[in-house]
Amino acid sequence: MQRTTHRSPLLARPVIVAMAAAVALTATSCAKSEDDASAGKKSPSAAADAGQKVASPKPGGKTCTIDAYGGEKLDLEGATVGFSQSEKEANPFRIAETQSIKDEAAKRGVKLLTANAQSQFSKQISDVQDLLAKGADLLVIAPLNSDGWDPVLQAAAAKKVPIVTIDRKINATACKDYVSFIASDFVEQGRRAADQMIEATGGKGEVAILLGAAGNNVTTERTKGFKDRVAEKAPGLKVVFEQTGDFAREKGQQVTEQLIQSKPGIKGIYAENDEMGLGAVAALKGAGKKAGDVEIVTVDGTRNAVQGIVDGWITGVIESNPRFGPLAFETLDAFTQGKEVAQDIIIEDGAYAPSNAEKDLGRAY
Ligand code: GZL
């Protein structure tokens, strides 16, 4: 898969939408002036002001146009966009992601229909069918699972409703089943988590992995990135325990309680999202451990987890930024105007460690 990763600043003449707005994801959503919103069009500089990072496609990155995809040009401002969220909004990642979509739709004066699948895949399929029935002209989907999308893809294609996927990848064909995929580089997140764990443990000892939920690319890629990096850089660090916490705090706590029973000498825990990492902290506290007894590295960048670094309970957090609103609507806007859009738009994330956690806490979500 052609991956496009942002490294370069804003490009002068946007040809492909991902070049149209180079910005860095930050805690602030853009403070747009009324006239921008009323104009309904976002200039690249406005998106840049929004603090949203855009992947700049490398030359030759695969692209898509409305002619290639099949569909009618339309003015996004007069359209209805349907947004399908996957997990219940107990997880700050989901809260921030949904809010980013809502904020951007409001800024652009676009009618938005939303649905939340409450972490049930069958409900997400019916949610999307429902959004189509309600007249969505375009769909933004944050998929729960990577597989099982055919019924929705067929229904959307039959109505010529373009789909942009954010966050997790679906196993389907770009520029045929969906227009663009916008997300983080999850393998890279796993690698960077390994680097933090190696540094914290000196590259020696036994560590555990709290795996994310099964059935999606985030879990497989964050696991692969971590394990490959450990094998490459610290063969003395051994992964002796792997169990899913389903990306949930409660399950993360339960699994960690089992872990410290079975592996009392565990030196580090790699939690594949902050919610499970915070569950691990609760388990360690419950077992009478002190902050720093076990090195915990997590992924997301939620406020509670970054505060956990300040408090000494968490060693490091790799950011997985959920604020896809500006980028998703940039993509839809350009696509519906007939411009080329990148098929894979991969954003670059930050990271938190004791050296910057307090200073950068405002960027967390
Ligand atoms: C990542 C996203 C993950 C988050 C978790 O893009 O799919 O799902 O990292 C969430 O917090 O459960």
Side-chain angles (χ1 to χ4, degrees), residues 87 91 93-94 97 143 167-168 184 186 189 216 218 222 246-247 272-275 299-300 320 324 365:
E87 293 178 311
N91 180 346
F93 180 95
R94 297 296 167 192
E97 187 175 54
D167 180 358
R168 300 178 182 177
S184 292
F186 305 111
Q189 291 174 345
N216 65 81
V218 175
R222 282 181 183 164
D246 279 340
F247 284 134
E272 293 183 343
N273 85 326
D274 286 358
E275 282 299 290
V299 186
D300 266 345
S320 192
F324 292 106
Y365 48 88

